[in-house]
Amino acid sequence: MATSERIRKCLFPAAGYGTRFLPATKAMPKEMLPIVNKPLIQYGVEEALEAGMTQIGFIVGRGKRAIADHFDNNYELEHQIAGTSKEKYLDDIRTVMDTCDFVFMRQREMLGLGHAILTGEPMIGSEPFAVVLADDLCAKPTDSNDLRALGQLAELYDRYQCSIIAIEEVPIEDTESYGVISGEEISPGIYQVSDMVEKPKPEDAPTNMAVIGRYILTPEIFEYLRNTPPGRNGEVQITDALRTLAQDRQVLAVKFKGERFDCGSVEGFVKATNYYFENEYSK
Ligand code: UTP
């Protein structure tokens, strides 16, 4: 199952407020919203595990304790359902808990995704690592035996040994919701990044190739993040750091296989719920 011998660590930035999902996210982390019967963050951790990553780092903020509880024992509940037919509902989360180590780091101020990733530096040290934004839910490709998006990126890392980001073509009118790349296609679906822009207006977007929430990053990204001034919305943007990194070193962008749902938006969340109910839960 494990594909990458090299990448063991995966960061889950989860400190954001989830304002697009208010009031549901007023007292509950967005990452705990369930798609059918499983929280978004668990799908993300399962995808990391499938890609061979077992050191899981969560970047959290205030009001995110439910995430830590989800990846811990609940003795009363487990005692209550022991030996009953309901125990099987805990199989997947037990597998994750038995296989992974979890580290929680606190981002005290919401200074952006780039800053959240920088908060994870003490856990990552000087090795390549992955980043998953759990509200982008990536399904298993249905027309091939490929792994989910992060596993596909990890396989490419084994070949190219550089930072690799996942991209998807979006309608040009949607570019304002994404980081957008431009670059040369060096192999089918694989682009050498030459430029990146955070949330451009459609008329300013260099392409319609949008960055989605799966990254493999080499550790020099931390130095670039430290040197990245706050950009759009006063936040430290990973897009800005990656743009500078791409000027100095190879950064690849990959059109991954399989469907992706933007579960940070109500529309994407509903689509994902229907998809998972029909394709996974009911089977
Ligand atoms: P989003 O832009 O989706 O923000 O952040 P959000 O707060 O989660 O949701 P909305 O837009 O208000 O509805 C992208 C990812 O970066 C994390 C978020 O938790 C999310 O996973 N993030 C963002 C942080 O961890 N810290 C930050 O300061 C900003």
Side-chain angles (χ1 to χ4, degrees):
M1 186 155 93
T3 59
S4 175
E5 297 303 321
R6 302 270 173 93
I7 301 184
R8 306 177 302 135
K9 297 181 179 174
C10 185
L11 283 184
F12 286 79
Y17 293 121
T19 51
R20 283 171 294 163
F21 245 103
L22 284 168
T25 46
K26 185 161 176 263
M28 183 179 74
K30 172 170 79 172
E31 296 74 17
M32 289 302 295
L33 288 170
I35 297 296
V36 190
N37 60 344
K38 194 183 278 187
L40 279 170
I41 192 92
Q42 188 181 331
Y43 287 101
V45 174
E46 287 176 4
E47 186 182 333
L49 187 54
E50 180 188 70
M53 299 158 198
T54 54
Q55 311 279 302
I56 306 296
F58 297 104
I59 311 297
V60 293
R62 288 172 291 282
K64 299 278 183 167
R65 289 215 178 130
I67 298 177
D69 288 342
H70 186 69
F71 292 97
D72 196 356
N73 291 333
N74 179 341
Y75 288 113
E76 270 177 45
L77 168 78
E78 285 165 54
H79 175 74
Q80 196 69 37
I81 64 172
T84 75
S85 60
K86 291 180 182 157
E87 236 186 331
K88 64 176 184 294
Y89 296 127
L90 294 180
D91 285 353
D92 289 354
I93 185 67
R94 279 185 173 150
T95 302
V96 166
M97 286 164 56
D98 290 346
T99 325
C100 298
D101 294 316
F102 303 105
V103 175
F104 289 83
M105 289 153 288
R106 196 94 168 193
Q107 188 189 16
R108 288 188 301 174
E109 286 181 282
M110 301 316 129
L111 299 177
L113 175 57
H115 180 261
I117 293 172
L118 197 50
T119 306
E121 185 179 15
M123 176 210 166
I124 300 300
S126 55
E127 51 184 293
F129 63 102
V131 174
V132 168
L133 306 185
D135 52 355
D136 267 336
L137 183 55
C138 292
K140 268 187 196 304
T142 47
D143 50 0
S144 71
N145 286 327
D146 283 292
L147 301 176
R148 279 167 275 196
L150 196 64
Q152 295 171 42
L153 260 55
E155 281 173 344
L156 284 172
Y157 178 81
D158 288 342
R159 200 152 99 218
Y160 290 99
Q161 308 275 312
C162 66
S163 291
I164 306 177
I165 57 185
I167 51 165
E168 182 179 287
E169 287 195 51
V170 298
I172 194 77
E173 60 272 18
D174 292 349
T175 56
E176 252 182 304
S177 306
Y178 297 93
V180 172
I181 70 128
S182 52
E184 185 196 341
E185 190 168 21
I186 58 166
S187 180
I190 304 179
Y191 296 78
Q192 167 120 10
V193 175
S194 55
D195 199 8
M196 288 177 83
V197 200
E198 182 63 15
K199 301 192 167 81
K201 288 191 169 41
E203 58 272 27
D204 300 329
T207 68
N208 67 338
M209 292 191 285
V211 179
I212 67 110
R214 299 290 181 279
Y215 308 75
I216 303 280
L217 299 172
T218 50
E220 65 264 21
I221 194 69
F222 294 122
E223 210 42 54
Y224 285 81
L225 282 168
R226 259 189 287 283
N227 292 324
T228 300
R232 222 187 135 91
N233 300 333
E235 298 184 335
V236 177
Q237 302 289 352
I238 184 68
T239 308
D240 294 338
L242 278 168
R243 184 199 311 112
T244 322
L245 180 65
Q247 284 156 11
D248 297 344
R249 291 171 191 245
Q250 186 174 47
V251 174
L252 297 179
V254 176
K255 284 185 185 161
F256 59 96
K257 298 184 193 125
E259 271 210 69
R260 193 261 330 180
F261 301 94
D262 172 14
C263 295
S265 76
V266 172
E267 195 195 27
F269 181 88
V270 172
K271 277 191 192 151
T273 303
N274 290 329
Y275 181 94
Y276 274 80
F277 180 71
E278 275 156 32
N279 292 285
E280 296 209 2
Y281 183 79
S282 311
K283 286 193 174 157

